């Protein structure tokens, strides 16, 4: 079997189009423009690239983008004061603090100081709890993007065996909650899992989110399974820099029924879902109907 490629780049473009449509309607019918504030502390090069990309795409769909770039040695008190100001700013519907933060800042404290209704990352402890109990919440962007692609490909996920490899708060755990919410039988595997190849071989859906280049070979994949590769790893091969996922694409694509490529799979969906979450937050803040198909 040669796997169907799940084109995240094309899918993300359709999500952005939907978001842009809702943004236009909010302006026309309610004179409201959704606003997303992104806070970057320090000058981490990868974070700078992400933040620039987020700002650009926010403006492209017609929303307001507010960028706050703070010095690497910004104090916790100053960062919390900025978040408080954004929490109280009615033109700001979404707040994202780019991670990782410099070592002297307490990430949990900072994230939990964001108004949960504006927490478009879905990292606030209230949103984590709401998602875990199946209540309406803000959902982390990367797992939301994976779920959208899986629903689009399969229709219903009910009864499917899903294995999530990786137990991070940003991807693994919320991904498992979302799959459970769609009635999958979910296993979360990690570095201490016994017989990992056999666990993965049972899966109809494999979500790989471990951050280890090409860790999952094709002979771990059940014939016809759907493989969602969250990894974005920079490696050097044949003297060239290359981006690879957490699965070995060539061998997995020979057995899988469908697979996301790297780049062009999950990556573009993450920012598209951030924009979707910002529109959702804006609608909720104004007691307006939420956009359909853009939430979990
Ligand atoms: N750093 C890497 N990924 C993310 C993300 O999804 N959100 C935030 N805030 N920071 C990140």
């Amino acid at each position: 079997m040669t796997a169907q490629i799940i084109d995240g780049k094309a899918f993300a473009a359709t999500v952005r189009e939907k978001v842009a449509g809702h943004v236009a309607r909010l302006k026309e019918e309610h004179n409201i423009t959704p606003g997303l504030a992104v806070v970057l502390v320090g000058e981490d090069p990868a974070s700078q690239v992400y933040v620039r990309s987020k700002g650009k795409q926010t403006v492209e769909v017609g929303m307001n983008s507010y960028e706050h770039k703070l010095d690497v040695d910004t104090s916790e008190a100053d960062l919390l004061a900025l978040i408080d100001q954004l929490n109280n700013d009615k033109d700001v519907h979404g707040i994202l603090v780019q991670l990782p933060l410099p070592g002297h800042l307490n990430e949990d404290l900072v994230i939990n100081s964001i108004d949960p209704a504006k927490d478009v990352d879905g990292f606030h402890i209230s949103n984590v709890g709401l998602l875990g109990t199946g209540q309406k919440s803000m959902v982390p962007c990367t797992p939301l993007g994976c779920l959208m692609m899986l629903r689009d490909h399969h229709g219903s996920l009910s009864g499917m065996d899903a294995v999530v490899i990786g137990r991070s708060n940003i991807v693994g755990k919320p991904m498992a909650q979302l799959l459970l919410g769609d009635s999958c039988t979910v296993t979360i595997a990690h570095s201490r899992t016994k017989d990992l190849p056999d666990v993965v071989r049972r899966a109809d859906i494999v979500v790989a989110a471990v951050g280890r280049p090409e860790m999952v070979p094709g002979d771990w994949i059940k014939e016809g399974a759907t493989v969602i590769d969250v990894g974005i790893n920079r490696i050097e091969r044949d003297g060239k820099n290359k981006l690879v996922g957490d699965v070995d694409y060539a061998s997995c694509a020979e057995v899988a029924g469908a697979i996301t490529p790297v780049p062009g799979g999950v990556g573009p969906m993450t920012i598209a879902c951030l924009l979707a979450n910002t529109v959702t937050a804006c609608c909720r803040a104004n007691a307006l109907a939420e956009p359909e198909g853009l939430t979990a």
Side-chain angles (χ1 to χ4, degrees), residues 47 50 54 96-100 111 121 123 141-142 170 270:
S47 292
Y50 286 131
K54 284 167 189 169
L96 179 145
V97 177
Q98 184 67 29
L99 303 178
I111 295 302
D121 260 329
F123 295 165
C141 304
T142 300
I170 294 183
T270 297

Side-chain angles (χ1 to χ4, degrees), residues 99-160:
L99 303 178
L101 287 171
H104 66 285
L105 300 170
N106 179 336
E107 266 180 21
D108 288 337
L109 179 72
V110 169
I111 295 302
N112 290 325
S113 73
I114 298 171
D115 177 349
K118 297 190 179 189
D119 168 38
V120 281
D121 260 329
F123 295 165
H124 190 289
I125 190 72
S126 296
N127 283 315
V128 176
L130 290 167
L131 177 62
T133 50
Q135 300 179 71
K136 197 154 88 172
S137 66
M138 296 307 302
V139 177
C141 304
T142 300
L144 178 58
C146 297
L147 183 75
M148 283 184 186
M149 290 192 286
L150 284 167
R151 282 179 176 167
D152 182 67
H153 184 74
H154 287 284
S156 169
L157 308 181
S158 181
M160 295 179 84

Side-chain angles (χ1 to χ4, degrees), residues 178-289:
L178 289 171
L179 291 165
L180 198 55
D182 271 28
S183 302
C184 291
T185 302
V186 183
T187 303
I188 306 180
H190 47 78
S191 55
R192 304 289 176 90
T193 297
K194 277 190 289 175
D195 303 323
L196 182 59
D198 282 342
V199 170
V200 177
R201 271 184 209 113
R202 290 203 298 265
D204 303 308
I205 294 169
V206 179
V207 180
V210 270
R212 287 181 52 187
E214 299 175 327
M215 191 193 99
V216 179
D219 69 356
W220 290 14
I221 302 297
K222 180 164 83 174
E223 181 85 23
T226 299
V227 177
I228 305 290
D229 191 351
V230 179
I232 301 178
N233 308 291
R234 227 168 272 278
I235 62 160
E236 202 184 303
R237 182 170 290 153
D238 306 327
K240 285 184 193 155
N241 284 325
K242 204 171 176 255
L243 278 188
V244 298
D246 290 348
V247 312
D248 176 45
Y249 184 83
S251 61
C252 288
E254 281 176 22
V255 258
I259 188 167
T260 58
V262 177
V266 174
M269 287 298 288
T270 297
I271 298 185
C273 287
L274 173 67
L275 305 176
N277 276 351
T278 305
V279 172
T280 299
C282 178
C283 291
R284 287 179 187 168
N286 290 283
L288 297 168

Side-chain angles (χ1 to χ4, degrees), residues 70 73-83:
L70 306 183
D73 51 17
T74 297
S75 71
E76 202 161 83
D78 283 351
L79 179 56
L80 294 178
L82 171 62
I83 292 173

